[in-house]
Amino acid sequence: MNSTPPRITKAVIPAAGLGTRFLPLTKATPKEMLPVVDKPAIQYVVEEAVAAGMSDILMVTGRNKRPLEDHFDRNYELEEALQRRGDQDKLNSVCASTELADIHYVRQRDPKGLGHAVLCAAPHVGREPFAVLLADDLIDPRDPLLARMAEVRARLGGSVVALMEVDPDAIHLYGCAAVEGAAAGGDGVRITELVEKPEPGTAPSNLAIIGRYLLDPEVFDVLRGTSPGRGGEIQLTDALRTLVRAGRPVHGVVFSGRRYDTGDRAEYLRATVRLACEREDLGPEFMSWLREFVRVEELAAV
């Protein structure tokens, strides 16, 4: 009888990208620190990992990413000022990010792609299974994707990749997976092929890889021998394809819940509006203003 795979407690968050889609803002501000309502996007991702039981988090950073470390560190002067004012709510919000998890940092010195960023985590992760969460993808906490992926991994073993159906005309923007039907027992599909950003018209499906992975440590061995692929970068998708072709188990979970892509400007704005509307302290007033704004704009367009 197969033994249950060990529980994953380590998460890797690649955060070394340049954020060129948000220039000129990201010239000096990490894209991961862009606010989604009143929290930086990266904090939502850390909170998701912690909610899934991952208390040991490694951020793979690059130059100009020091604000990430500052955000998750203590700010004694600010805390003392809030304490003196008796502003407990703001003090709690400031302290929340410092108490989330045990967070470590390593620098990706050269921008060689996602696969290379994941490989930078090898000394910290060791030979344990681990999660990878991409900082651009926010998953609504009401749709616990990581928990579903962990269940599939516990039942079927191997690595697990999050997938989402996208418009066939957009699949060339993503890594893409070919799959076989639902695995026995319900959730989960078996991945039979992977392609990083396929040429238009050549994709094996419309199932896109989104930014959540549960990986066996053997992926590090494969990444060390993976040559640069799409865009001249070392692609994690290519390493996973090597595992699939070697007969190693790689499964997918097809996600249809609430996902917010903060790496795209229009999607970032939509995510901010959606989450603001759902806040009890902001939503009613903001939605009232939004309805009036839309009404006035529509009248002006007539």
Side-chain angles (χ1 to χ4, degrees):
M1 185 173 65
N2 292 334
S3 60
T4 301
R7 187 171 67 91
I8 292 178
T9 60
K10 291 183 177 180
V12 175
I13 302 177
L18 298 176
T20 53
R21 284 182 287 182
F22 280 87
L23 287 170
L25 176 67
T26 46
K27 177 182 178 182
T29 301
K31 65 175 181 176
E32 297 83 7
M33 291 299 295
L34 291 175
V36 181
V37 189
D38 54 5
K39 287 193 297 189
I42 190 72
Q43 185 169 334
Y44 289 88
V45 179
V46 173
E47 288 172 349
E48 180 190 354
V50 171
M54 301 166 195
S55 57
D56 184 340
I57 294 173
L58 177 71
M59 291 191 189
V60 182
T61 67
R63 290 183 292 277
N64 300 324
K65 300 286 184 168
R66 179 62 184 270
L68 294 175
E69 298 184 38
D70 291 341
H71 178 72
F72 292 100
D73 199 359
R74 297 287 302 275
N75 186 326
Y76 294 102
E77 295 82 3
L78 178 58
E79 292 173 26
E80 289 176 2
L82 293 172
Q83 185 74 52
R84 287 195 302 270
R85 296 176 191 171
D87 197 336
Q88 193 62 43
D89 288 342
K90 285 190 174 63
L91 179 60
N92 291 342
S93 69
V94 167
C95 293
S97 62
T98 68
E99 299 168 355
L100 276 171
D102 188 11
I103 301 179
H104 311 267
Y105 305 88
V106 65
R107 178 168 287 192
Q108 182 186 18
R109 293 184 175 87
D110 299 306
K112 295 181 180 179
L114 176 59
H116 180 261
V118 171
L119 188 55
C120 290
H124 181 83
V125 171
R127 300 308 295 178
E128 298 180 38
F130 64 105
V132 174
L133 294 83
L134 302 192
D136 285 347
D137 277 329
L138 305 189
I139 303 297
D140 195 293
R142 293 167 294 185
D143 300 312
L145 174 57
L146 287 174
R148 286 179 58 196
M149 295 172 67
E151 189 280 327
V152 168
R153 181 176 174 275
R155 181 161 47 86
L156 302 175
S159 297
V160 182
V161 178
L163 306 172
M164 176 175 266
E165 291 189 37
V166 301
D167 189 310
D169 291 337
I171 191 64
H172 68 282
L173 301 173
Y174 298 86
C176 176
V179 304
E180 291 184 344
D187 212 359
V189 292
R190 188 171 75 86
I191 293 177
T192 59
E193 181 61 299
L194 292 160
V195 183
E196 178 63 23
K197 295 183 178 178
E199 294 294 334
T202 67
S205 77
N206 70 329
L207 288 174
I209 301 170
I210 59 175
R212 298 295 181 270
Y213 308 78
L214 301 183
L215 301 176
D216 280 342
E218 64 181 338
V219 75
F220 291 132
D221 301 325
V222 178
L223 282 169
R224 291 186 183 99
T226 299
S227 300
R230 188 77 170 181
E233 297 180 335
I234 297 173
Q235 300 291 349
L236 180 58
T237 301
D238 292 345
L240 292 171
R241 181 179 60 196
T242 298
L243 290 175
V244 167
R245 291 181 174 179
R248 305 297 297 159
V250 180
H251 298 97
V253 169
V254 181
F255 182 67
S256 58
R258 287 156 284 203
R259 166 185 174 259
Y260 313 111
D261 180 3
T262 60
D264 175 83
R265 289 176 297 175
E267 280 294 313
Y268 166 76
L269 292 172
R270 284 192 280 268
T272 302
V273 170
R274 288 191 192 108
L275 293 174
C277 287
E278 294 175 358
R279 287 269 295 263
E280 291 183 2
D281 58 335
L282 296 173
E285 180 181 353
F286 181 60
M287 288 183 68
S288 177
W289 174 84
L290 193 59
R291 291 190 189 99
E292 179 64 15
F293 173 77
V294 171
R295 186 187 69 84
V296 170
E297 290 297 306
E298 288 177 342
L299 287 174
V302 173

